[in-house]
PDB file of all heavy atoms in Angstrom:
ATOM      1  N   PHE I 142     -23.745  28.619 -31.691  1.00  0.00           N
ATOM      2  CA  PHE I 142     -24.646  27.966 -30.794  1.00  0.00           C
ATOM      3  C   PHE I 142     -25.779  28.828 -30.247  1.00  0.00           C
ATOM      4  O   PHE I 142     -25.612  30.098 -30.103  1.00  0.00           O
ATOM      5  CB  PHE I 142     -23.916  27.429 -29.479  1.00  0.00           C
ATOM      6  CG  PHE I 142     -22.928  26.285 -29.828  1.00  0.00           C
ATOM      7  CD1 PHE I 142     -21.614  26.542 -30.221  1.00  0.00           C
ATOM      8  CD2 PHE I 142     -23.367  24.878 -29.747  1.00  0.00           C
ATOM      9  CE1 PHE I 142     -20.807  25.475 -30.501  1.00  0.00           C
ATOM     10  CE2 PHE I 142     -22.570  23.893 -30.119  1.00  0.00           C
ATOM     11  CZ  PHE I 142     -21.197  24.148 -30.423  1.00  0.00           C
ATOM     12  N   ALA I 143     -26.933  28.298 -30.003  1.00  0.00           N
ATOM     13  CA  ALA I 143     -28.138  29.081 -29.654  1.00  0.00           C
ATOM     14  C   ALA I 143     -27.947  29.923 -28.376  1.00  0.00           C
ATOM     15  O   ALA I 143     -28.436  31.071 -28.319  1.00  0.00           O
ATOM     16  CB  ALA I 143     -29.366  28.177 -29.591  1.00  0.00           C
ATOM     17  N   ASN I 144     -27.264  29.416 -27.416  1.00  0.00           N
ATOM     18  CA  ASN I 144     -27.103  30.100 -26.080  1.00  0.00           C
ATOM     19  C   ASN I 144     -25.835  30.881 -26.047  1.00  0.00           C
ATOM     20  O   ASN I 144     -25.428  31.236 -24.884  1.00  0.00           O
ATOM     21  CB  ASN I 144     -27.249  29.108 -24.980  1.00  0.00           C
ATOM     22  CG  ASN I 144     -26.231  27.970 -25.117  1.00  0.00           C
ATOM     23  OD1 ASN I 144     -25.607  27.713 -26.148  1.00  0.00           O
ATOM     24  ND2 ASN I 144     -26.067  27.286 -23.916  1.00  0.00           N
ATOM     25  N   ALA I 145     -25.071  31.092 -27.154  1.00  0.00           N
ATOM     26  CA  ALA I 145     -23.904  31.766 -27.007  1.00  0.00           C
ATOM     27  C   ALA I 145     -24.106  33.232 -27.551  1.00  0.00           C
ATOM     28  O   ALA I 145     -24.853  33.522 -28.428  1.00  0.00           O
ATOM     29  CB  ALA I 145     -22.896  31.133 -28.031  1.00  0.00           C
ATOM     30  N   ARG I 146     -23.347  34.159 -26.937  1.00  0.00           N
ATOM     31  CA  ARG I 146     -23.421  35.521 -27.426  1.00  0.00           C
ATOM     32  C   ARG I 146     -22.855  35.670 -28.827  1.00  0.00           C
ATOM     33  O   ARG I 146     -21.850  34.993 -29.128  1.00  0.00           O
ATOM     34  CB  ARG I 146     -22.644  36.400 -26.455  1.00  0.00           C
ATOM     35  CG  ARG I 146     -22.630  37.903 -26.794  1.00  0.00           C
ATOM     36  CD  ARG I 146     -21.745  38.703 -25.795  1.00  0.00           C
ATOM     37  NE  ARG I 146     -21.389  39.943 -26.465  1.00  0.00           N
ATOM     38  CZ  ARG I 146     -20.450  40.824 -25.977  1.00  0.00           C
ATOM     39  NH1 ARG I 146     -19.762  40.509 -24.910  1.00  0.00           N
ATOM     40  NH2 ARG I 146     -20.251  41.896 -26.545  1.00  0.00           N
ATOM     41  N   ALA I 147     -23.532  36.449 -29.569  1.00  0.00           N
ATOM     42  CA  ALA I 147     -23.247  36.634 -31.039  1.00  0.00           C
ATOM     43  C   ALA I 147     -21.955  37.579 -31.074  1.00  0.00           C
ATOM     44  O   ALA I 147     -22.029  38.685 -30.539  1.00  0.00           O
ATOM     45  CB  ALA I 147     -24.375  37.042 -31.738  1.00  0.00           C
ATOM     46  N   TYR I 148     -21.012  37.184 -31.838  1.00  0.00           N
ATOM     47  CA  TYR I 148     -19.857  38.034 -32.188  1.00  0.00           C
ATOM     48  C   TYR I 148     -19.680  38.149 -33.707  1.00  0.00           C
ATOM     49  O   TYR I 148     -19.924  37.223 -34.430  1.00  0.00           O
ATOM     50  CB  TYR I 148     -18.531  37.556 -31.590  1.00  0.00           C
ATOM     51  CG  TYR I 148     -18.499  37.628 -30.117  1.00  0.00           C
ATOM     52  CD1 TYR I 148     -18.993  36.593 -29.317  1.00  0.00           C
ATOM     53  CD2 TYR I 148     -18.055  38.685 -29.376  1.00  0.00           C
ATOM     54  CE1 TYR I 148     -18.927  36.631 -27.909  1.00  0.00           C
ATOM     55  CE2 TYR I 148     -18.044  38.781 -28.094  1.00  0.00           C
ATOM     56  CZ  TYR I 148     -18.435  37.763 -27.246  1.00  0.00           C
ATOM     57  OH  TYR I 148     -18.362  37.784 -25.953  1.00  0.00           O
ATOM     58  N   GLY I 149     -19.214  39.254 -34.177  1.00  0.00           N
ATOM     59  CA  GLY I 149     -18.943  39.428 -35.623  1.00  0.00           C
ATOM     60  C   GLY I 149     -17.672  38.714 -35.978  1.00  0.00           C
ATOM     61  O   GLY I 149     -16.760  38.468 -35.168  1.00  0.00           O
ATOM     62  N   ALA I 150     -17.406  38.594 -37.294  1.00  0.00           N
ATOM     63  CA  ALA I 150     -16.268  37.915 -37.774  1.00  0.00           C
ATOM     64  C   ALA I 150     -15.020  38.758 -37.389  1.00  0.00           C
ATOM     65  O   ALA I 150     -13.917  38.183 -37.009  1.00  0.00           O
ATOM     66  CB  ALA I 150     -16.286  37.743 -39.304  1.00  0.00           C
ATOM     67  N   GLN I 151     -15.099  40.093 -37.460  1.00  0.00           N
ATOM     68  CA  GLN I 151     -13.905  40.948 -37.102  1.00  0.00           C
ATOM     69  C   GLN I 151     -13.593  40.722 -35.708  1.00  0.00           C
ATOM     70  O   GLN I 151     -12.315  40.732 -35.287  1.00  0.00           O
ATOM     71  CB  GLN I 151     -14.196  42.408 -37.486  1.00  0.00           C
ATOM     72  CG  GLN I 151     -14.359  42.687 -38.943  1.00  0.00           C
ATOM     73  CD  GLN I 151     -12.911  42.549 -39.613  1.00  0.00           C
ATOM     74  OE1 GLN I 151     -11.868  42.685 -38.964  1.00  0.00           O
ATOM     75  NE2 GLN I 151     -12.887  42.365 -40.934  1.00  0.00           N
ATOM     76  N   GLU I 152     -14.571  40.697 -34.795  1.00  0.00           N
ATOM     77  CA  GLU I 152     -14.234  40.539 -33.341  1.00  0.00           C
ATOM     78  C   GLU I 152     -13.579  39.280 -33.104  1.00  0.00           C
ATOM     79  O   GLU I 152     -12.507  39.204 -32.254  1.00  0.00           O
ATOM     80  CB  GLU I 152     -15.573  40.599 -32.592  1.00  0.00           C
ATOM     81  CG  GLU I 152     -16.259  42.016 -32.591  1.00  0.00           C
ATOM     82  CD  GLU I 152     -17.614  41.929 -31.849  1.00  0.00           C
ATOM     83  OE1 GLU I 152     -18.545  41.353 -32.491  1.00  0.00           O
ATOM     84  OE2 GLU I 152     -17.757  42.411 -30.694  1.00  0.00           O
ATOM     85  N   VAL I 153     -13.925  38.212 -33.680  1.00  0.00           N
ATOM     86  CA  VAL I 153     -13.340  36.926 -33.518  1.00  0.00           C
ATOM     87  C   VAL I 153     -11.995  36.969 -33.977  1.00  0.00           C
ATOM     88  O   VAL I 153     -11.009  36.405 -33.416  1.00  0.00           O
ATOM     89  CB  VAL I 153     -14.151  35.784 -34.225  1.00  0.00           C
ATOM     90  CG1 VAL I 153     -13.429  34.471 -34.157  1.00  0.00           C
ATOM     91  CG2 VAL I 153     -15.508  35.635 -33.487  1.00  0.00           C
ATOM     92  N   SER I 154     -11.753  37.522 -35.295  1.00  0.00           N
ATOM     93  CA  SER I 154     -10.427  37.651 -35.831  1.00  0.00           C
ATOM     94  C   SER I 154      -9.409  38.330 -34.895  1.00  0.00           C
ATOM     95  O   SER I 154      -8.308  37.926 -34.682  1.00  0.00           O
ATOM     96  CB  SER I 154     -10.516  38.324 -37.153  1.00  0.00           C
ATOM     97  OG  SER I 154      -9.232  38.430 -37.773  1.00  0.00           O
ATOM     98  N   ARG I 155      -9.928  39.431 -34.316  1.00  0.00           N
ATOM     99  CA  ARG I 155      -9.082  40.210 -33.353  1.00  0.00           C
ATOM    100  C   ARG I 155      -8.765  39.386 -32.091  1.00  0.00           C
ATOM    101  O   ARG I 155      -7.636  39.350 -31.572  1.00  0.00           O
ATOM    102  CB  ARG I 155      -9.751  41.517 -32.943  1.00  0.00           C
ATOM    103  CG  ARG I 155      -9.560  42.584 -34.059  1.00  0.00           C
ATOM    104  CD  ARG I 155      -9.879  43.992 -33.537  1.00  0.00           C
ATOM    105  NE  ARG I 155     -11.224  44.042 -33.036  1.00  0.00           N
ATOM    106  CZ  ARG I 155     -12.282  44.393 -33.780  1.00  0.00           C
ATOM    107  NH1 ARG I 155     -12.092  44.658 -35.095  1.00  0.00           N
ATOM    108  NH2 ARG I 155     -13.497  44.396 -33.239  1.00  0.00           N
ATOM    109  N   ALA I 156      -9.863  38.745 -31.545  1.00  0.00           N
ATOM    110  CA  ALA I 156      -9.655  37.969 -30.301  1.00  0.00           C
ATOM    111  C   ALA I 156      -8.657  36.803 -30.465  1.00  0.00           C
ATOM    112  O   ALA I 156      -7.837  36.505 -29.628  1.00  0.00           O
ATOM    113  CB  ALA I 156     -10.975  37.446 -29.898  1.00  0.00           C
ATOM    114  N   LEU I 157      -8.603  36.217 -31.705  1.00  0.00           N
ATOM    115  CA  LEU I 157      -7.667  35.089 -31.994  1.00  0.00           C
ATOM    116  C   LEU I 157      -6.366  35.575 -32.554  1.00  0.00           C
ATOM    117  O   LEU I 157      -5.458  34.736 -32.774  1.00  0.00           O
ATOM    118  CB  LEU I 157      -8.270  34.121 -32.929  1.00  0.00           C
ATOM    119  CG  LEU I 157      -9.593  33.419 -32.434  1.00  0.00           C
ATOM    120  CD1 LEU I 157     -10.241  32.479 -33.516  1.00  0.00           C
ATOM    121  CD2 LEU I 157      -9.142  32.481 -31.244  1.00  0.00           C
ATOM    122  N   ASP I 158      -6.181  36.895 -32.723  1.00  0.00           N
ATOM    123  CA  ASP I 158      -5.002  37.464 -33.282  1.00  0.00           C
ATOM    124  C   ASP I 158      -4.556  36.748 -34.526  1.00  0.00           C
ATOM    125  O   ASP I 158      -3.446  36.351 -34.688  1.00  0.00           O
ATOM    126  CB  ASP I 158      -3.862  37.502 -32.251  1.00  0.00           C
ATOM    127  CG  ASP I 158      -2.629  38.293 -32.624  1.00  0.00           C
ATOM    128  OD1 ASP I 158      -2.890  39.283 -33.424  1.00  0.00           O
ATOM    129  OD2 ASP I 158      -1.499  37.978 -32.196  1.00  0.00           O
ATOM    130  N   LEU I 159      -5.560  36.580 -35.449  1.00  0.00           N
ATOM    131  CA  LEU I 159      -5.242  35.859 -36.677  1.00  0.00           C
ATOM    132  C   LEU I 159      -4.385  36.680 -37.680  1.00  0.00           C
ATOM    133  O   LEU I 159      -4.414  37.891 -37.663  1.00  0.00           O
ATOM    134  CB  LEU I 159      -6.586  35.515 -37.353  1.00  0.00           C
ATOM    135  CG  LEU I 159      -7.545  34.610 -36.620  1.00  0.00           C
ATOM    136  CD1 LEU I 159      -8.852  34.475 -37.463  1.00  0.00           C
ATOM    137  CD2 LEU I 159      -6.874  33.231 -36.454  1.00  0.00           C
ATOM    138  N   ASP I 160      -3.610  35.932 -38.502  1.00  0.00           N
ATOM    139  CA  ASP I 160      -2.860  36.675 -39.489  1.00  0.00           C
ATOM    140  C   ASP I 160      -3.767  37.350 -40.369  1.00  0.00           C
ATOM    141  O   ASP I 160      -5.002  36.955 -40.630  1.00  0.00           O
ATOM    142  CB  ASP I 160      -2.058  35.578 -40.309  1.00  0.00           C
ATOM    143  CG  ASP I 160      -0.844  35.041 -39.573  1.00  0.00           C
ATOM    144  OD1 ASP I 160      -0.501  35.595 -38.520  1.00  0.00           O
ATOM    145  OD2 ASP I 160      -0.357  33.944 -39.933  1.00  0.00           O
ATOM    146  N   ARG I 161      -3.363  38.496 -40.954  1.00  0.00           N
ATOM    147  CA  ARG I 161      -4.215  39.309 -41.852  1.00  0.00           C
ATOM    148  C   ARG I 161      -4.699  38.489 -43.001  1.00  0.00           C
ATOM    149  O   ARG I 161      -3.907  37.804 -43.655  1.00  0.00           O
ATOM    150  CB  ARG I 161      -3.477  40.504 -42.389  1.00  0.00           C
ATOM    151  CG  ARG I 161      -4.330  41.441 -43.031  1.00  0.00           C
ATOM    152  CD  ARG I 161      -3.436  42.687 -43.497  1.00  0.00           C
ATOM    153  NE  ARG I 161      -4.297  43.525 -44.352  1.00  0.00           N
ATOM    154  CZ  ARG I 161      -3.828  44.599 -44.941  1.00  0.00           C
ATOM    155  NH1 ARG I 161      -2.562  44.991 -44.878  1.00  0.00           N
ATOM    156  NH2 ARG I 161      -4.641  45.410 -45.679  1.00  0.00           N
ATOM    157  N   GLY I 162      -5.961  38.542 -43.345  1.00  0.00           N
ATOM    158  CA  GLY I 162      -6.480  37.866 -44.432  1.00  0.00           C
ATOM    159  C   GLY I 162      -7.102  36.497 -44.191  1.00  0.00           C
ATOM    160  O   GLY I 162      -7.797  35.842 -45.029  1.00  0.00           O
ATOM    161  N   THR I 163      -6.830  35.937 -42.933  1.00  0.00           N
ATOM    162  CA  THR I 163      -7.367  34.650 -42.534  1.00  0.00           C
ATOM    163  C   THR I 163      -8.925  34.746 -42.404  1.00  0.00           C
ATOM    164  O   THR I 163      -9.350  35.619 -41.634  1.00  0.00           O
ATOM    165  CB  THR I 163      -6.778  34.120 -41.327  1.00  0.00           C
ATOM    166  OG1 THR I 163      -5.428  33.989 -41.430  1.00  0.00           O
ATOM    167  CG2 THR I 163      -7.389  32.790 -40.919  1.00  0.00           C
ATOM    168  N   PRO I 164      -9.596  34.028 -43.288  1.00  0.00           N
ATOM    169  CA  PRO I 164     -11.078  34.220 -43.281  1.00  0.00           C
ATOM    170  C   PRO I 164     -11.738  33.693 -41.908  1.00  0.00           C
ATOM    171  O   PRO I 164     -11.291  32.669 -41.413  1.00  0.00           O
ATOM    172  CB  PRO I 164     -11.627  33.343 -44.450  1.00  0.00           C
ATOM    173  CG  PRO I 164     -10.419  33.106 -45.278  1.00  0.00           C
ATOM    174  CD  PRO I 164      -9.214  33.113 -44.436  1.00  0.00           C
ATOM    175  N   VAL I 165     -12.816  34.435 -41.530  1.00  0.00           N
ATOM    176  CA  VAL I 165     -13.583  34.066 -40.435  1.00  0.00           C
ATOM    177  C   VAL I 165     -15.042  34.004 -40.855  1.00  0.00           C
ATOM    178  O   VAL I 165     -15.452  34.979 -41.429  1.00  0.00           O
ATOM    179  CB  VAL I 165     -13.501  34.988 -39.183  1.00  0.00           C
ATOM    180  CG1 VAL I 165     -14.414  34.482 -38.064  1.00  0.00           C
ATOM    181  CG2 VAL I 165     -12.143  34.962 -38.666  1.00  0.00           C
ATOM    182  N   VAL I 166     -15.681  32.870 -40.732  1.00  0.00           N
ATOM    183  CA  VAL I 166     -17.044  32.694 -41.230  1.00  0.00           C
ATOM    184  C   VAL I 166     -17.935  32.228 -40.154  1.00  0.00           C
ATOM    185  O   VAL I 166     -17.511  31.458 -39.217  1.00  0.00           O
ATOM    186  CB  VAL I 166     -17.115  31.783 -42.503  1.00  0.00           C
ATOM    187  CG1 VAL I 166     -16.475  32.362 -43.719  1.00  0.00           C
ATOM    188  CG2 VAL I 166     -16.536  30.407 -42.118  1.00  0.00           C
ATOM    189  N   LEU I 167     -19.227  32.711 -40.133  1.00  0.00           N
ATOM    190  CA  LEU I 167     -20.229  32.174 -39.160  1.00  0.00           C
ATOM    191  C   LEU I 167     -20.883  31.011 -39.807  1.00  0.00           C
ATOM    192  O   LEU I 167     -21.232  31.016 -40.941  1.00  0.00           O
ATOM    193  CB  LEU I 167     -21.173  33.282 -38.754  1.00  0.00           C
ATOM    194  CG  LEU I 167     -20.489  34.650 -38.349  1.00  0.00           C
ATOM    195  CD1 LEU I 167     -21.582  35.703 -37.938  1.00  0.00           C
ATOM    196  CD2 LEU I 167     -19.567  34.364 -37.150  1.00  0.00           C
ATOM    197  N   CYS I 168     -21.200  29.971 -38.996  1.00  0.00           N
ATOM    198  CA  CYS I 168     -21.881  28.817 -39.560  1.00  0.00           C
ATOM    199  C   CYS I 168     -22.743  28.132 -38.480  1.00  0.00           C
ATOM    200  O   CYS I 168     -22.666  28.398 -37.298  1.00  0.00           O
ATOM    201  CB  CYS I 168     -20.839  27.897 -40.068  1.00  0.00           C
ATOM    202  SG  CYS I 168     -19.954  26.950 -38.838  1.00  0.00           S
ATOM    203  N   ASP I 169     -23.491  27.124 -39.000  1.00  0.00           N
ATOM    204  CA  ASP I 169     -24.205  26.246 -38.112  1.00  0.00           C
ATOM    205  C   ASP I 169     -23.707  24.930 -38.551  1.00  0.00           C
ATOM    206  O   ASP I 169     -24.073  24.443 -39.642  1.00  0.00           O
ATOM    207  CB  ASP I 169     -25.735  26.358 -38.372  1.00  0.00           C
ATOM    208  CG  ASP I 169     -26.587  25.431 -37.494  1.00  0.00           C
ATOM    209  OD1 ASP I 169     -26.063  24.483 -36.938  1.00  0.00           O
ATOM    210  OD2 ASP I 169     -27.781  25.653 -37.380  1.00  0.00           O
ATOM    211  N   ALA I 170     -22.899  24.277 -37.743  1.00  0.00           N
ATOM    212  CA  ALA I 170     -22.390  22.946 -38.064  1.00  0.00           C
ATOM    213  C   ALA I 170     -23.364  21.875 -38.283  1.00  0.00           C
ATOM    214  O   ALA I 170     -23.014  20.774 -38.948  1.00  0.00           O
ATOM    215  CB  ALA I 170     -21.480  22.450 -36.941  1.00  0.00           C
TER     216      ALA I 170
END
Side-chain angles (χ1 to χ4, degrees):
F142 289 90
N144 58 342
R146 181 181 159 193
Y148 291 90
Q151 290 291 338
E152 292 175 285
V153 172
S154 181
R155 282 195 299 272
L157 293 175
D158 193 27
L159 297 176
D160 289 343
R161 187 177 176 189
T163 302
V165 176
V166 293
L167 307 181
C168 75
D169 181 344

